[in-house]
Amino acid sequence: MFTISFTAFRSTIHVFSFFLILIFSGVLSDSVNSVPVVNDSLTYLWPLPTEFTSGNETLSVDPRLSLAGAGNGGNSTIVRAAFDRYKRIIFKHTNRFSSFSLLRGIKPVYDITTLRIVVNSEIEELQLGVDESYTLYVAKNDGQSITGDVTIEANTVYGALRGLETFSQLCTFDYSAKSVLVYQAPWYIQDKPRFSYRGLLLDTSRHYLPVDVIKQIIDSMSYAKLNVLHWHVIDEQSFPIEIPSYPNLWRGSYTKWERYTVEDAIEIVNYAKLRGTFLALDLNLLSFWDLFPDYIYALWAGINIMAEVDVPGHAESWGKGYPDLWPSSSCREPLDVSKNYTFDVISGMLTDMREIFPFELFHLGGDEVNTDCWNTTPHVKEWLQDKNLTTKEAYQYFVLRAQQIALSKNWTPVNWEETFNTFAENLHPRTVVHNWLGPGVCPKAVAKGFRCIFSNQGVWYLDHLDVPWHEFYTAEPLEGIDDSSQQKLVLGGEVCMWAETADTSNVQQTIWPRAAAAAERLWSSKEAISSGNINETALPRLHYFRCLLNRRGVQAAPLTNKLARTPPIGPGSCYIQ
């Protein structure tokens, strides 16, 4: 056994199958990327853990791997459901082959037969800043090892989930042996996220995404240890979600087939985190598992859903159902600031949505507001004069009033950076400023005591197809912030999947694998992933993770093609396209 230092990246590769694929991939044509040099000092885990050591043993894993829960939360429904789900992922091939072996009378002996999960806390609330740290031990159960088999220790069930993902990445199916192996054992991994907020924005207004597609994206987020789905559900083009208090609002959907019912939205939230009446189900009932695997999965993703209602701009679709929300037929956005009715609708909408979205953050938008037509709409112009307000001041009035509505419903408001850039001194102190226009905003926001989310469009907008993986990877949320107390105000960051040119046909290819590059920046320590040549320390590992996503059914695009989501340009291994 030898020690692995993050700084020196001296870990050894644990995935022997990857090495073989690279060796036997052959010589490709000039138009295809050449075979990369295998760096046997790398560890093919994504995102990279905080601390780890490994050895030089190869261990086999029993496809009948059993779970032993311990601690106050080790036997929770969430842990048991997560174990079952990961077991299905890890032993996808083995279940078939083991049945064949039994028919032939083969009874193999395995090194790892038990996975022990120790969870210290029985609290299962999933909110911002929940403890996601874990420790993972993988060692042969030879009667002499102190730990033996596999042990995951965590303070919360969500730390245990992250540990299960890491363990699943250590497991590799060997096609010759027809068994799951762990290379470079024994492993000792101590891990925790660098930032508490690690997000992906998903836009379902510019193109509708079916519920099943959103679930698939939630699946893929958990593999990269992202933990917030920012659901940009409404925009000027369409209003697809049901609001019971104002049932005509979703007349603004593209068609009557491209909508989300309240039940759909609740199902998505439940799928991403633990909620709902099925928590008490007996997971030993195999028939239920076979019939409703999606509902079981809902218990273990550990992902919050932050909804967004973007006001007062980006809201033309609202008036399809309630034209009085438009200042006039020729001034359809921003929403009418002069009417209390506008804020009644917002209040009713947020009241309904509070029943669906339990996460403490709620996004109120506030970006790209062009107030020119307020000055040319007679009744709004008269209101402005009566209030002695400029249109800029009316914009501030609208944002602050919407914030008060959200705060009254026990939400912390998030706003795009224009609100901070325009009237920072008047924003509610609890406001989270969401950067997007460019660099330098988070340093200004935290200097004034606000919390911040980093999403610089130049490096973290997924719809910008010409931004290569390495720019996603090297973007730094704390750039320009040296004071440690101010650094703590940066919650983390978010990659944004705006959907003007993405729908079900290509959304996953556009998200992955570049979103994973940002995910490691948000999870792993800065020192670990910022030293050395990233083409040697990160690129081979990201190639491997992209192929891992493919093996799990995620349509992640080739990594180093000129534009994101460009298909492969010729025959070749997944690992080098």
Side-chain angles (χ1 to χ4, degrees):
M1 184 173 185
F2 56 94
T3 300
I4 312 302
S5 165
F6 254 171
T7 305
F9 282 93
R10 288 163 33 216
S11 170
T12 56
I13 186 170
H14 69 276
V15 186
F16 185 63
S17 59
F18 179 48
F19 178 83
L20 290 177
I21 289 170
L22 294 177
I23 292 296
F24 294 107
S25 57
V27 179
L28 302 180
S29 66
D30 291 339
S31 62
V32 180
N33 293 329
S34 60
V35 178
V37 176
V38 174
N39 186 344
D40 61 3
S41 69
L42 298 180
T43 293
Y44 287 80
L45 293 174
W46 199 278
L48 201 65
T50 305
E51 297 178 37
F52 53 96
T53 63
S54 66
N56 54 14
E57 298 179 11
T58 298
L59 305 181
S60 59
V61 187
D62 191 340
R64 297 164 298 179
L65 185 71
S66 62
L67 172 66
N72 293 324
N75 289 303
S76 74
T77 306
I78 298 172
V79 170
R80 288 185 287 129
F83 171 78
D84 287 343
R85 176 72 175 187
Y86 271 112
K87 191 173 176 180
R88 292 165 77 93
I89 291 174
I90 293 168
F91 299 105
K92 179 180 179 180
H93 297 290
T94 312
N95 289 334
R96 290 175 291 162
F97 291 127
S98 60
S99 299
F100 182 70
S101 298
L102 289 174
L103 290 174
R104 295 169 58 193
I106 300 174
K107 295 181 179 180
V109 177
Y110 297 97
D111 300 310
I112 296 173
T113 59
T114 304
L115 193 159
R116 183 170 180 260
I117 298 180
V118 182
V119 179
N120 295 325
S121 174
E122 62 182 6
I123 298 174
E124 297 177 348
E125 183 180 6
L126 178 60
Q127 284 292 357
L128 186 67
V130 67
D131 189 341
E132 297 174 89
S133 65
Y134 67 91
T135 301
L136 172 63
Y137 308 86
V138 182
K140 185 176 182 179
N141 187 3
D142 55 6
Q144 299 178 356
S145 172
I146 296 175
T147 56
D149 285 2
V150 182
T151 300
I152 296 173
E153 295 184 11
N155 289 324
T156 71
V157 292
Y158 303 105
L161 302 190
R162 307 307 173 214
L164 277 165
E165 173 57 38
T166 300
F167 173 66
S168 75
Q169 292 186 26
L170 287 175
C171 294
T172 304
F173 180 72
D174 184 289
Y175 283 85
S176 298
K178 295 185 178 179
S179 63
V180 172
L181 303 177
V182 174
Y183 298 98
Q184 300 304 128
W187 284 90
Y188 169 77
I189 296 173
Q190 196 165 11
D191 201 10
K192 63 180 179 180
R194 182 184 178 203
F195 292 101
S196 62
Y197 185 109
R198 307 179 305 281
L200 166 69
L201 178 146
L202 192 64
D203 172 10
T204 59
S205 173
R206 276 52 179 263
H207 281 99
Y208 174 85
L209 294 176
V211 171
D212 283 349
V213 173
I214 297 175
K215 288 180 178 180
Q216 291 164 13
I217 292 169
I218 290 170
D219 287 354
S220 60
M221 289 175 66
S222 69
Y223 303 148
K225 296 186 172 72
L226 294 175
N227 69 345
V228 180
L229 179 68
H230 173 180
W231 191 4
H232 187 89
V233 63
I234 305 160
D235 212 291
E236 62 187 77
Q237 291 87 353
S238 75
F239 196 115
I241 193 167
E242 179 184 18
I243 303 296
S245 297
Y246 291 90
N248 292 339
L249 279 170
W250 69 354
R251 288 184 181 177
S253 63
Y254 287 121
T255 66
K256 63 183 180 180
W257 302 284
E258 296 170 292
R259 292 174 172 175
Y260 304 102
T261 65
V262 167
E263 292 78 13
D264 288 335
I266 291 173
E267 184 177 353
I268 289 168
V269 172
N270 283 345
Y271 193 84
K273 60 178 286 188
L274 72 126
R275 297 288 291 180
T277 57
F278 43 86
L279 290 177
L281 292 170
D282 182 358
L283 297 179
N284 293 316
L285 296 177
L286 183 61
S287 60
F288 185 88
W289 162 255
D290 290 338
L291 289 172
F292 301 107
D294 285 352
Y295 286 93
I296 300 299
Y297 176 80
L299 301 171
W300 69 275
I303 294 172
N304 280 301
I305 307 290
M306 177 178 69
E308 179 178 357
V309 172
D310 197 349
V311 292
H314 289 276
E316 180 179 343
S317 61
W318 299 33
K320 299 288 183 63
Y322 296 96
D324 284 346
L325 293 170
W326 291 334
S328 71
S329 59
S330 60
C331 176
R332 297 188 171 190
E333 60 180 18
L335 296 172
D336 196 328
V337 66
S338 69
K339 295 176 183 174
N340 285 327
Y341 175 69
T342 301
F343 298 97
D344 291 340
V345 173
I346 293 173
S347 181
M349 184 187 306
L350 266 58
T351 298
D352 289 347
M353 296 181 89
R354 198 61 174 112
E355 297 299 314
I356 301 171
F357 300 101
F359 189 40
E360 66 193 74
L361 301 182
F362 190 87
H363 210 298
L364 290 169
D367 62 314
E368 299 181 318
V369 180
N370 184 344
T371 58
D372 289 349
C373 72
W374 279 351
N375 258 333
T376 59
T377 303
H379 76 272
V380 179
K381 184 178 181 179
E382 181 180 353
W383 180 85
L384 291 170
Q385 291 171 344
D386 290 344
K387 297 286 187 180
N388 195 27
L389 296 175
T390 64
T391 53
K392 178 180 176 181
E393 291 168 334
Y395 164 47
Q396 172 185 301
Y397 167 84
F398 199 118
V399 168
L400 297 184
R401 190 165 174 182
Q403 282 195 338
Q404 288 301 320
I405 294 171
L407 288 161
S408 72
K409 303 185 188 310
N410 200 29
W411 262 322
T412 295
V414 183
N415 283 98
W416 294 111
E417 69 175 74
E418 287 94 327
T419 60
F420 172 80
N421 297 337
T422 308
F423 45 87
E425 65 280 358
N426 293 318
L427 285 173
H428 193 279
R430 284 174 57 189
T431 303
V432 177
V433 177
H434 195 166
N435 150 252
W436 74 278
L437 284 170
V441 173
C442 282
K444 295 176 183 177
V446 299
K448 292 184 177 292
F450 292 104
R451 291 179 293 172
C452 191
I453 295 170
F454 175 87
S455 290
N456 179 356
Q457 65 171 337
V459 289
W460 275 10
Y461 267 32
L462 293 160
D463 57 308
H464 293 190
L465 303 181
D466 58 341
V467 179
W469 77 272
H470 60 83
E471 293 189 21
F472 278 82
Y473 192 77
T474 56
E476 175 48 54
L478 297 184
E479 183 178 5
I481 307 173
D482 299 321
D483 183 272
S484 59
S485 62
Q486 293 182 4
Q487 289 179 345
K488 293 176 182 178
L489 295 176
V490 178
L491 298 180
E494 175 180 290
V495 288
C496 298
M497 183 60 262
W498 299 107
E500 284 86 349
T501 63
D503 63 7
T504 297
S505 69
N506 60 5
V507 66
Q508 288 277 51
Q509 294 96 319
T510 314
I511 293 171
W512 306 106
R514 291 181 305 159
E520 181 158 280
R521 175 64 52 180
L522 291 167
W523 179 279
S524 304
S525 69
K526 181 180 179 181
E527 295 74 20
I529 62 174
S530 298
S531 61
N533 184 338
I534 62 171
N535 287 320
E536 297 175 358
T537 60
L539 181 57
R541 295 188 302 105
L542 188 51
H543 271 304
Y544 182 81
F545 184 73
R546 178 250 169 170
C547 299
L548 179 145
L549 292 175
N550 285 175
R551 293 197 302 272
R552 293 185 180 184
V554 180
Q555 299 90 345
L559 181 58
T560 53
N561 286 2
K562 186 174 182 180
L563 292 176
R565 78 185 183 204
T566 304
I569 54 179
S573 164
C574 169
Y575 298 91
I576 55 178
Q577 285 289 328

